[in-house]
Amino acid sequence: KHWLDKEVNTVRTVDLKTVLARCGGKINYLKMDCENSEFLILMNNDLSDIDYIAIELHNQMGEANFNKLKDWVSLTHIGFPIWNDDNQEVLLINKKM
């Protein structure tokens, strides 16, 4: 089934805006391994105050969502890979660096 079709587990979380606020509004290095929640965490959030994002990208999000996320993250960061059928470990660098 599609990765958003049903809830598998419930986990208490804070959103990215809260993380940024708790860090004083800027993050130098953000390491993410969120087991296929990267799309939901990063999409439509302001990433401009994060210098580096180390991320594991999961192919379960599908090519269309991968490309949506790539387009969004590429507004502020370089290094987003092209789609492939494997999970990928990626370092994204803020364009202001």
Side-chain angles (χ1 to χ4, degrees):
K1 290 191 172 188
H2 186 270
W3 65 286
L4 285 177
D5 282 348
K6 71 177 191 176
E7 183 176 351
V8 177
N9 293 303
T10 301
V11 178
R12 290 183 183 204
T13 64
V14 295
D15 62 11
L16 187 57
K17 290 177 187 176
T18 302
V19 172
L20 273 162
R22 289 179 180 176
C23 293
K26 180 142 179 79
I27 297 174
N28 179 258
Y29 183 86
L30 176 65
K31 171 63 174 129
M32 296 181 67
D33 186 359
C34 302
E35 301 312 317
N36 209 34
S37 294
E38 296 81 9
F39 180 89
L40 298 171
I41 293 168
L42 296 176
M43 199 64 203
N44 299 317
N45 277 301
D46 182 3
L47 307 176
S48 63
D49 290 321
I50 305 171
D51 293 338
Y52 300 94
I53 302 172
I55 186 172
E56 181 182 13
L57 295 169
H58 294 271
N59 60 9
Q60 294 93 336
M61 77 174 72
E63 186 173 3
N65 284 330
F66 182 92
N67 287 326
K68 285 181 192 175
L69 184 60
K70 177 181 181 177
D71 291 345
W72 179 255
V73 172
S74 295
L75 294 173
T76 54
H77 289 73
I78 59 172
F80 210 99
I82 60 170
W83 167 258
N84 71 47
D85 289 332
D86 296 321
N87 295 335
Q88 303 177 66
E89 295 281 344
V90 178
L91 179 63
L92 305 169
I93 302 169
N94 195 307
K95 291 179 179 180
K96 296 187 289 187
M97 300 298 294

